[in-house]
Amino acid sequence: MQKVRIRYAKRGRLAFTSHRDFARALERAVRRANVPIAYSSGFSPHPRISYASAAPTGVASEAEYLEMGLQAPMDVEDLRAALDAALPPGLDVLEAVVAHGSDFADRMSASHWRIALSGVDDATAAAAVAAFLAAEEVPVERMTKSGRRTMDSRSPVLSLRTVTDGGDAGTDPAAGVGNTTTVPTAGSTAVPCAILDLVVRHVTPSVRPDDVLAGLHAVAALEPPVPPKVTRLAQGTLTGQGEITDPLVADRDRAVSGTPST
């Protein structure tokens, strides 16, 4: 069985696709594209597809990952193109590589997020970020499958700052101060839109962008007038320097060196 790892994106309106809906869409795409997918054994065989840290419903992402098993080897670029063509626009297959090693889940230790707060100006966002970073602990509540749970939204946050729309920090990232983007409306006015740049360590239970926003509300009463637009820019392995490395790098490197896949 050949194992393949895939990076895909959820964009535009398809950001509101739930993980279950995407899984169903992918299985249909696999059938339409005649991908030789492998199946589990037993009384109820299912496609050998596993997902890594799927983004919440309503959140766009440029860095979603899955692993699938194939009954027969297939050129990974052909596989990527076939699945991308079979999926609706907005669910975009960006890359496919042959899997090497069994440590893929361990490579997902942090995520990088971009949060657009339409209707929030820079000063308000910067003050809320500063208050959040100054706190040792920011408890928030979230409803989980096992009931309402309290978690610390502060400790997994490695970096939180406001940035310009281009992604550059306006000032020292540690200070949590930056610049606001303005969004033109139909008239001549512009609506302020603060942009937050967030890096979060993966923990259990996971702390998501909405938990951090709840924390900002708890410490500074930050409450955007419209729902924030959240995008995951990257996820992968957290380095000692606080950077997130591409989780597919090891697979590419082993493919170049000729290491057999496992």
Side-chain angles (χ1 to χ4, degrees):
M1 182 177 68
Q2 182 188 44
K3 286 185 180 179
V4 178
R5 289 167 182 155
I6 290 173
R7 179 169 71 96
Y8 66 96
K10 294 199 307 177
R11 296 166 170 161
R13 292 182 298 173
L14 273 298
F16 294 93
T17 304
S18 70
H19 174 61
R20 183 173 298 179
D21 288 338
F22 174 79
R24 285 196 290 259
L26 179 66
E27 290 182 21
R28 289 195 296 268
V30 164
R31 291 193 294 269
R32 284 197 295 268
N34 294 317
V35 173
I37 193 74
Y39 286 83
S40 62
S41 56
F43 291 104
S44 181
H46 59 273
R48 289 192 177 274
I49 303 174
S50 58
Y51 298 87
S53 303
T57 303
V59 172
S61 178
E62 294 296 316
E64 299 299 287
Y65 294 89
L66 62 86
E67 182 177 276
M68 64 170 55
L70 305 180
Q71 295 178 5
M74 187 173 179
D75 180 83
V76 289
E77 178 53 28
D78 290 343
L79 173 64
R80 185 209 65 78
L83 289 177
D84 189 54
L87 285 166
L91 298 177
D92 303 321
V93 181
L94 306 178
E95 184 177 6
V97 299
V98 175
H100 292 270
S102 57
D103 60 342
F104 193 53
D106 296 334
R107 301 179 197 173
M108 305 296 182
S109 57
S111 286
H112 180 193
W113 304 89
R114 183 61 52 86
I115 306 172
L117 304 175
S118 182
V120 177
D121 60 52
D122 181 68
T124 301
V129 167
F132 182 89
L133 295 177
E136 293 185 4
E137 183 178 356
V138 183
V140 297
E141 287 190 345
R142 188 211 301 164
M143 182 61 72
T144 66
K145 293 180 180 179
S146 56
R148 188 165 292 278
R149 187 163 186 174
T150 300
M151 61 192 71
D152 178 18
S153 63
R154 174 63 185 92
S155 58
V157 173
L158 302 170
S159 172
L160 178 61
R161 56 180 178 167
T162 59
V163 297
T164 64
D165 193 33
D168 298 325
T171 60
D172 180 6
V177 180
N179 297 314
T180 301
T181 299
T182 56
V183 180
T185 61
S188 59
T189 60
V191 177
C193 182
I195 307 294
L196 300 184
D197 187 87
L198 170 67
V199 178
V200 180
R201 181 185 294 108
H202 291 179
V203 295
T204 304
S206 62
V207 169
R208 308 178 308 199
D210 55 323
D211 299 315
V212 174
L213 290 169
L216 291 169
H217 180 268
V219 299
L222 180 67
E223 189 169 358
V226 297
K229 292 183 178 180
V230 182
T231 303
R232 172 148 57 189
L233 302 180
Q235 68 170 318
T237 306
L238 185 68
T239 69
Q241 292 72 40
E243 299 176 345
I244 297 177
T245 60
D246 183 347
L248 299 182
V249 165
D251 298 304
R252 296 192 207 97
D253 290 347
R254 292 176 195 175
V256 170
S257 67
T259 304
S261 61
T262 58

